[in-house]
Amino acid sequence: MILVAGGTGTLGTRLLTRLTDRGLDVRAMSRNPDKAVPAKSDRVQVVSGDVRDARAVERAVAGVRTVVSAITGFGAAKDVSPHSVDWEGNANLIRAAKAAGVEHFILLSVCQAAPDHPIELFRMKHRAEDALRASGLAWTIVRPTAYMETWVGLLGDPLLHTGSTRIFGRGSNPINFVSASDIACLIDVAVADTTLRGATIEAGGPENVTMNGIVETFETITGAHGKVNHVPLPMMRVMSVLMKAINPTMGGLIEAAVVMDTRNMTFDASETRRRYPSIPVTRLADVIREGYAERAAPPAQ
């Protein structure tokens, strides 16, 4: 039995499908169990639980051999945060896994995770990494870049539904994006391949793309054109400070947007592809065509 904590998220839903397609039994833990994928439901045991609740975590971990933590508190509801989920929630999972005799713990971290990173999520993921390495468990850490599917939805869906979209900042800073489906494939490999235990794997996509570039590619493929509004950086810096006192979640999101618009967020994935040639290499245009197939024009021959 494999526990996937965060089994209803962007990555978790794709991972459940891959694991059950291989005939593996999976337990999906989520605060929103109704969102769990119905496919192969006979092999998916869905449990309602919050990783901040140590007792709930202990129940979810009981009887499993592998734990995959795909949880995050970034950009979630007001009552959660990277500190409470990505650090404290992961700490609960690690402690429970150790006590239950779990054989392997796979942690989804983030590329550029560091103790001094300006984004709280990256600091909390790094803290969880340290706790896992010190736990005595067999572990694998996967550090993906930003998910294409998330950002295509955030920037593209408003174009489809309202005729306009908003980019925080200039939108001209190159950022590496990776498909969540490719990361699900990588985790699937890590579940089976014992040589990846004790490995920290940096994983990214084949392209470094700007936010403006995501919108342009979306418009080209779907034909959904509209107004693109930019929130100026000076305004964002002020907003991030003001919002932290009123709505810390929103303040953190705006602060992260400032960093993503100004910091080097590029990544060269060639070494990862060389080491793990079985992992697909999905491009941004492919993600848009798959997610918006009813509007996408066929690729040029």
Side-chain angles (χ1 to χ4, degrees), residues 165-209:
T165 192
R166 178 178 291 110
I167 293 175
F168 283 85
R170 303 161 301 167
S172 58
N173 192 42
I175 300 168
N176 190 271
F177 295 91
V178 67
S179 170
S181 295
D182 294 355
I183 299 301
C185 181
L186 177 57
I187 297 167
D188 187 24
V189 170
V191 166
D193 188 350
T194 57
T195 67
L196 297 185
R197 297 185 182 186
T200 300
I201 306 169
E202 302 266 355
E207 306 158 288
N208 295 306
V209 188

Side-chain angles (χ1 to χ4, degrees), residues 83 86-87 114-115 122-132:
H83 185 275
D86 297 275
W87 162 235
F122 291 57
R123 299 193 300 272
M124 296 303 103
K125 288 291 193 184
H126 186 272
R127 194 171 176 182
E129 289 183 9
D130 283 348
L132 180 58

Side-chain angles (χ1 to χ4, degrees), residues 5-16:
T8 57
T10 300
L11 174 66
T13 52
R14 291 165 171 81
L15 180 59
L16 292 184

Side-chain angles (χ1 to χ4, degrees), residues 15-286:
L15 180 59
L16 292 184
T17 299
R18 289 201 67 93
L19 294 173
T20 55
D21 281 350
R22 284 209 293 121
L24 299 174
D25 293 322
V26 182
R27 182 180 296 159
M29 180 183 185
S30 174
R31 295 176 71 199
N32 303 297
D34 293 340
K35 291 173 57 181
V37 291
K40 301 288 191 304
S41 58
D42 57 325
R43 291 198 173 276
V44 178
Q45 179 187 111
V46 182
V47 296
S48 177
D50 190 325
V51 292
R52 298 172 299 170
D53 180 347
R55 297 289 187 184
V57 171
E58 290 169 6
R59 292 191 294 269
V61 168
V64 307
R65 298 177 61 184
T66 301
V67 172
V68 179
S69 174
I71 61 175
T72 186
F74 182 73
K78 287 184 178 181
D79 63 331
V80 299
S81 67
H83 185 275
S84 66
V85 175
D86 297 275
W87 162 235
E88 292 178 345
N90 272 315
N92 285 338
L93 281 167
I94 292 166
R95 282 192 294 268
K98 180 67 174 177
V102 166
E103 297 177 11
H104 186 203
F105 194 112
I106 301 174
L107 173 66
L108 266 294
S109 183
V110 62
C111 189
Q112 295 190 10
D116 58 350
H117 198 280
I119 298 177
E120 183 189 22
L121 171 68
F122 291 57
R123 299 193 300 272
M124 296 303 103
K125 288 291 193 184
H126 186 272
R127 194 171 176 182
E129 289 183 9
D130 283 348
L132 180 58
R133 293 189 184 100
S135 68
L137 289 162
W139 56 268
T140 304
I141 294 170
V142 179
R143 289 177 154 190
T145 57
Y147 294 139
M148 293 179 190
E149 291 84 354
T150 298
W151 287 95
V152 165
L154 287 172
L155 296 174
D157 285 353
L159 276 179
L160 287 177
H161 302 308
T162 70
S164 66
T165 192
R166 178 178 291 110
I167 293 175
F168 283 85
R170 303 161 301 167
S172 58
N173 192 42
I175 300 168
N176 190 271
F177 295 91
V178 67
S179 170
S181 295
D182 294 355
I183 299 301
C185 181
L186 177 57
I187 297 167
D188 187 24
V189 170
V191 166
D193 188 350
T194 57
T195 67
L196 297 185
R197 297 185 182 186
T200 300
I201 306 169
E202 302 266 355
E207 306 158 288
N208 295 306
V209 188
T210 66
M211 295 293 185
N212 292 331
I214 291 177
V215 173
E216 290 164 5
T217 304
F218 188 90
E219 289 179 325
T220 298
I221 291 174
T222 66
H225 297 277
K227 184 177 181 180
V228 181
N229 300 300
H230 288 262
V231 180
L233 270 172
M235 181 184 296
M236 290 165 58
R237 290 190 171 100
V238 173
M239 287 171 60
S240 70
V241 174
L242 295 177
M243 289 302 296
K244 279 186 177 179
I246 305 170
N247 185 337
T249 297
M250 182 58 67
L253 287 171
I254 298 172
E255 182 180 59
V258 171
V259 175
M260 292 182 74
D261 199 53
T262 56
R263 186 183 176 100
N264 182 3
M265 303 291 287
T266 61
F267 180 75
D268 181 358
S270 57
E271 179 61 19
T272 306
R273 292 198 295 271
R274 185 189 68 78
R275 290 188 178 186
Y276 312 104
S278 66
I279 307 304
V281 181
T282 304
R283 303 186 75 85
L284 174 65
D286 298 327

